[in-house]
Amino acid sequence: MSAPLIVLVGPMGVGKSTVGRLLAERLGVGYRDTDDDIVAERGRSIADIFVEEGEPAFRALEKEAVRRALAEHDGVLALGGGAILDADTRALLAGQRVVYLSMDVEEAVRRTGLNVARPLLAVNPRKQWRELMEARRHLYEEVATAVVPTDGRTPDEVTRAALDALELKEA
């Protein structure tokens, strides 16, 4: 059984995919995203799954995708923003190198405009983003080995900060 070298967690739009790919490239390992796994398996977007099957069905798919990826992948793994809501998933993350990429609401607005295809932010996105973060921040912090703020930083700067926080050297 393998384990990821790094697991990235954080809210939607924080840059887990971008930073994950950069980390994988710099460490000479593979990159995997559990949201991509779900889309590939179901043949539909995350937003479509949310709308057509509902959040509980999506969370069940997500839980299984995370479990499978943690067991199979030995590179950099990015989890969907809500993956940490599941207690079993949080338990599986214990002992892993987990980086929580954080950002404040103003950074979220700047990056995503909060108007992209985000099913949980459909109405009053700023308020909903704040509420999501109030509900999730402590869970991200609970599973994190390191917290790396992304506000005002380039993807390269965030990548460097994550490597430094974990004391990992580039390949």
Side-chain angles (χ1 to χ4, degrees):
M1 187 164 139
S2 65
L5 183 60
I6 301 173
V7 179
L8 297 176
V9 300
M12 59 192 91
V14 77
K16 295 181 297 286
S17 298
T18 301
V19 171
R21 286 185 186 93
L22 286 170
L23 282 167
E25 180 182 305
R26 292 189 185 172
L27 293 167
V29 298
Y31 169 76
R32 185 169 174 176
D33 182 317
T34 57
D35 279 353
D36 292 344
D37 290 352
I38 294 166
V39 169
E41 181 182 308
R42 300 301 282 214
R44 296 187 322 218
S45 71
I46 300 296
D48 286 348
I49 294 168
F50 253 85
V51 169
E52 294 166 17
E53 298 181 40
E55 185 175 359
F58 172 75
R59 295 294 173 209
L61 294 169
E62 180 176 57
K63 178 179 179 174
E64 177 56 24
V66 171
R67 186 201 61 73
R68 196 168 47 244
L70 287 170
E72 296 172 357
H73 188 66
D74 61 2
V76 176
L77 178 64
L79 304 188
I84 47 77
L85 294 170
D86 182 77
D88 293 336
T89 295
R90 292 194 307 277
L92 289 174
L93 292 171
Q96 303 276 351
R97 272 192 201 106
V98 179
V99 175
Y100 163 31
L101 299 180
S102 68
M103 69 178 168
D104 67 21
V105 70
E106 296 313 315
E107 185 77 1
V109 169
R110 188 181 71 71
R111 287 193 193 174
T112 68
L114 293 181
N115 62 1
V116 290
R118 308 284 186 181
L120 293 178
L121 300 178
V123 179
N124 195 347
R126 271 181 196 253
K127 178 176 182 273
Q128 288 181 297
W129 196 89
R130 281 193 180 98
E131 288 172 359
L132 277 176
M133 285 309 299
E134 285 170 20
R136 296 178 180 182
R137 184 174 291 108
H138 71 285
L139 299 174
Y140 291 132
E141 291 169 349
E142 175 188 317
V143 301
T145 307
V147 178
V148 176
T150 65
D151 304 270
R153 286 175 150 172
T154 67
D156 282 330
E157 290 168 334
V158 173
T159 300
R160 167 65 25 220
L163 289 169
D164 289 348
L166 296 175
E167 299 179 357
L168 291 172
K169 302 286 180 227
E170 294 184 35

